[in-house]
Amino acid sequence: MPRPLPRITPSLAERHEALWLRLTTLHKDITAIAAKKPDAPVGDTERSIAEGLISDCRPFLGSRHEKFPVAAQNFSGLAVQLGQVLAQLDDFENRHAAWDARNNCRCWRVEGESLPIARLRASVAIVPLTTANGEDLRAKLVRRRHNHERQIFENGFQKGLSARHGPPQAPHDTETVAEGSETYPRLRGSA
């Protein structure tokens, strides 16, 4: 008999999402500084914020009973520490979330109603596009594009035919009159 998948409370899921966003933002900022100045010392404010966030992440980390190390003294070390905590948060999410086909998104495994992972869920509503007459705008644009491409093809085909047959011939209602050694086309009835 397969073991049931672990479930969490909705409040723990919401707490995880809030911490994930805060930790990701701090990690991005520290990593940007570490790329320019890897051995620069970390200020007391940044270190206390990092230690507070790591402490808040404790329920989601694999080793809950160990003491957390003090935040690193330089930016490159702090970037590594925050990256490790972020990886453990991602691991927690992977163990406690799954794809929900009904909601068409990843959801936390909680008791009762599915709880979508808010930062991953698209909140854009698809609105049907119609013209003032009620005609489907997408279909109209597809037809217009198709007609444009067809016109380009027809123009190219006509240019290809004219290149194959040479320049257009003189109209049939003209006659050639010889004057000296040169011939000139003249309209009938004139002269």
Side-chain angles (χ1 to χ4, degrees):
M1 175 182 267
R3 218 169 72 182
L5 296 171
R7 296 193 178 273
I8 59 172
T9 63
S11 62
L12 191 63
E14 290 171 6
R15 185 175 170 194
H16 178 277
E17 289 190 49
L19 286 171
W20 189 92
L21 290 173
R22 288 177 56 203
L23 189 66
T24 302
T25 303
L26 181 63
H27 181 253
K28 184 178 76 170
D29 293 343
I30 296 296
T31 304
I33 295 170
K36 295 176 185 174
K37 306 174 191 175
D39 295 326
V42 177
D44 291 336
T45 306
E46 292 89 358
R47 191 168 41 251
S48 66
I49 290 172
E51 288 174 353
L53 270 176
I54 292 171
S55 176
D56 290 344
C57 292
R58 188 176 184 111
F60 308 106
L61 305 181
S63 55
R64 295 182 183 177
H65 302 294
E66 295 179 14
K67 290 185 178 180
F68 286 107
V70 177
Q73 300 295 320
N74 57 20
F75 280 100
S76 60
L78 185 57
V80 169
Q81 281 181 324
L82 293 176
Q84 289 172 344
V85 173
L86 196 55
Q88 290 181 356
L89 283 178
D90 286 340
D91 176 58
F92 180 86
E93 179 180 314
N94 288 333
R95 287 184 285 120
H96 294 90
W99 181 259
D100 186 3
R102 189 172 41 128
N103 290 326
N104 201 23
C105 64
R106 278 184 57 90
C107 292
W108 292 104
R109 283 194 295 267
V110 294
E111 294 295 331
E113 190 67 28
S114 297
L115 180 64
I117 298 175
R119 66 181 168 81
L120 300 178
R121 185 168 185 170
S123 60
V124 179
I126 298 175
V127 178
L129 299 173
T130 57
T131 61
N133 311 8
E135 188 180 0
D136 183 21
L137 189 60
R138 287 187 180 97
K140 190 173 183 177
L141 289 173
V142 167
R143 280 193 312 274
R144 184 175 288 179
R145 179 69 183 174
H146 177 70
N147 290 339
H148 178 70
E149 290 173 357
R150 187 175 182 170
Q151 185 64 41
I152 290 171
F153 173 79
E154 291 295 330
N155 291 344
F157 186 76
Q158 291 301 323
K159 287 180 183 180
L161 278 178
S162 65
R164 181 176 175 204
H165 295 298
Q169 296 180 356
H172 297 291
D173 60 342
T174 62
E175 64 183 49
T176 305
V177 177
E179 288 185 13
S181 64
E182 300 176 17
T183 60
Y184 299 98
R186 304 260 173 135
L187 293 175
R188 289 184 196 167
S190 64

